[in-house]
Amino acid sequence: MANSSDVGLDMGPILMSDREREISNIMFFAVIIHLISILGTVANVINIIVFIKQGFQDTVNISFLALSISDLGSLVTMVAEGITVIVALVWPDVPMNKDDVCYLIGALPHATFVRVSWLITSFITFERCLCVSMPLKVKQIITGTRTVVAMVCIYVIVFLGMSPFFIGNQLSSQFNPQTNTSRIVRVSIDNVFFTDNIGHNFSVAAQFGSIIFSLVSTAVIVRQMEVKWKWRMESTTGAQSEKLSVRDKKLVKMVLTILYVYIACLIPSCLTFILEIVYQERFSFMGPNYNVYLCVVSVIITFEVAHSTVNIFIYYYMSAKYNATFKQLFFKSNEKLKMLDYYMVCFSFY
């Protein structure tokens, strides 16, 4: 095995110094991402409790539970990375390579859980597409057992697809005879570039595949709802027509809100991938602008943890069933309910 630090960087114009990158790293991972991840961890624990309390008669609750678990996993790993950065900041002589440890206990498992969330979101969108397109047959197509199998398959496929990263990179204690000390560092197998490339290709396929699938499903939903609105406007009159239209608009609004948040949080990642293709070695993990690349990755992760955190607000405001169960579990008095609504509005605004 060869130490990852042995790999050299190509020469070229340097846009960000190591010190600037380190300041950026502390700002993002020790403060911004760390705080968002802590809030998101609490939020997803609440989501898990609520969905378990509601039961699984409705198959979508199974999907939402699986999504909350994957979001929780992606956030907990970033909390661990934030703690690692803080420890290294407070204890400069800590016996470990901070960047190596952060990569293998934070960034890599976080990326794995995020891709699980992407695919589950696509499945949820597809399930709603079937509900709108084939309302009489969807119960026969999407059963509880099939939903559980689908969630398990998504987890297994993603972990297998990302496994080359874990196989090619490991943490190990390395002894330095000059200082007579040992440090925890990342070591890589000899053909690490080959294994990492396999994992990278799977990651990109999962990312763009889930986006395309979600967009197609949502387009079908919107089209079907437009057809139904038109039919109801022609076959009903007055207040009844307006009532049906408003109800359907709420469904479309919830579906589109989830999609907009999902796509918005993926845009930085997609743009980064395009920049990697255009600039190749000049903008990559091993290129001359390594520091800029890592700073961009920090922004991407910020959007990812934000996406994993905000789902609780979408559920709370757009699902009456979730709202009722949430209040029943955690807030029973009227004064507490008023304070809850106030704080939820404040957090949603920010």
Side-chain angles (χ1 to χ4, degrees):
M1 288 187 165
N3 193 310
S4 61
S5 62
D6 294 336
V7 181
L9 300 177
D10 297 331
M11 297 300 295
I14 305 300
L15 301 179
M16 177 180 284
S17 67
D18 290 342
R19 177 173 174 77
E20 291 171 337
R21 191 259 299 175
E22 188 62 28
I23 294 173
S24 171
N25 189 62
I26 293 171
M27 180 183 69
F28 275 105
F29 291 100
V31 182
I32 300 174
I33 294 175
H34 189 61
L35 293 177
I36 295 175
S37 297
I38 291 174
L39 292 174
T41 298
V42 175
N44 280 284
V45 169
I46 293 173
N47 288 340
I48 291 172
I49 294 173
V50 171
F51 291 131
I52 291 176
K53 175 65 176 179
Q54 288 180 348
F56 305 108
Q57 292 80 9
D58 190 351
T59 56
V60 75
N61 275 11
I62 301 174
S63 301
F64 281 141
L65 175 62
L67 178 61
S68 298
I69 293 173
S70 62
D71 283 343
L72 179 62
S74 70
L75 292 165
V76 168
T77 53
M78 295 318 299
V79 171
E81 179 165 345
I83 293 173
T84 302
V85 173
I86 294 172
V87 169
L89 181 64
V90 176
W91 183 12
D93 296 327
V94 61
M96 68 177 180
N97 184 306
K98 172 179 65 66
D99 293 336
D100 291 349
V101 174
C102 285
Y103 175 73
L104 284 172
I105 73 167
L108 193 51
H110 164 80
T112 303
F113 280 109
V114 164
R115 278 141 189 83
V116 172
S117 296
W118 291 348
L119 295 182
I120 293 177
T121 301
S122 298
F123 180 87
I124 293 172
T125 309
F126 173 70
E127 183 179 13
R128 290 176 177 176
C129 177
L130 290 180
C131 289
V132 174
S133 303
M134 297 180 291
L136 300 179
K137 296 181 179 179
V138 67
K139 294 292 185 181
Q140 300 173 354
I141 299 173
I142 306 293
T143 63
T145 301
R146 289 175 181 174
T147 302
V148 171
V149 170
M151 295 301 103
V152 172
C153 287
I154 288 174
Y155 271 89
V156 171
I157 290 171
V158 171
F159 275 85
L160 287 177
M162 298 293 287
S163 63
F165 287 116
F166 295 94
I167 294 172
N169 303 275
Q170 302 169 12
L171 288 176
S172 178
S173 179
Q174 188 178 76
F175 179 73
N176 187 342
Q178 296 180 348
T179 60
N180 196 31
T181 58
S182 296
R183 297 180 73 220
I184 299 176
V185 297
R186 173 165 61 105
V187 292
S188 304
I189 60 177
D190 293 333
N191 58 342
V192 64
F193 292 107
F194 174 76
T195 56
D196 280 3
N197 189 54
I198 295 175
H200 179 71
N201 290 336
F202 171 83
S203 174
V204 172
Q207 176 177 347
F208 285 92
S210 61
I211 291 176
I212 294 172
F213 195 81
S214 296
L215 287 174
V216 171
S217 297
T218 304
V220 173
I221 291 173
V222 173
R223 177 56 183 167
Q224 289 293 323
M225 298 304 291
E226 288 177 350
V227 171
K228 289 185 177 183
W229 288 340
K230 184 177 180 180
W231 177 82
R232 286 172 178 173
M233 290 295 291
E234 294 175 350
S235 60
T236 58
T237 58
Q240 183 181 4
S241 174
E242 182 63 26
K243 182 179 180 180
L244 291 170
S245 178
V246 170
R247 184 183 62 189
D248 290 343
K249 284 180 180 178
K250 288 183 178 180
L251 173 61
V252 173
K253 183 179 179 180
M254 181 172 180
V255 172
L256 292 180
T257 299
I258 294 173
L259 181 68
Y260 290 156
V261 173
Y262 170 57
I263 296 298
C265 293
L266 275 180
I267 286 176
S269 180
C270 294
L271 292 177
T272 301
F273 175 71
I274 294 173
L275 290 174
E276 289 180 30
I277 295 176
V278 174
Y279 293 101
Q280 298 182 1
E281 292 84 1
R282 286 175 292 170
F283 184 75
S284 69
F285 186 73
M286 303 305 299
N289 286 305
Y290 162 83
N291 291 332
V292 174
Y293 182 84
L294 288 184
C295 186
V296 172
V297 170
S298 301
V299 175
I300 292 173
I301 294 176
T302 302
F303 276 87
E304 289 175 348
V305 297
H307 174 252
S308 298
T309 301
V310 300
N311 282 337
I312 188 173
F313 300 107
I314 298 176
Y315 301 148
Y316 183 85
Y317 283 112
M318 296 190 172
S319 173
K321 185 178 179 181
Y322 180 95
N323 189 304
T325 306
F326 181 89
K327 291 179 177 178
Q328 179 186 1
L329 285 172
F330 302 105
F331 297 89
K332 296 182 179 180
S333 68
N334 290 331
E335 292 185 2
K336 289 183 178 180
L337 287 175
K338 290 179 180 178
M339 290 297 296
L340 168 65
D341 289 333
Y342 171 76
Y343 285 121
M344 291 296 280
V345 169
C346 292
F347 278 117
S348 299
F349 174 78
Y350 287 112

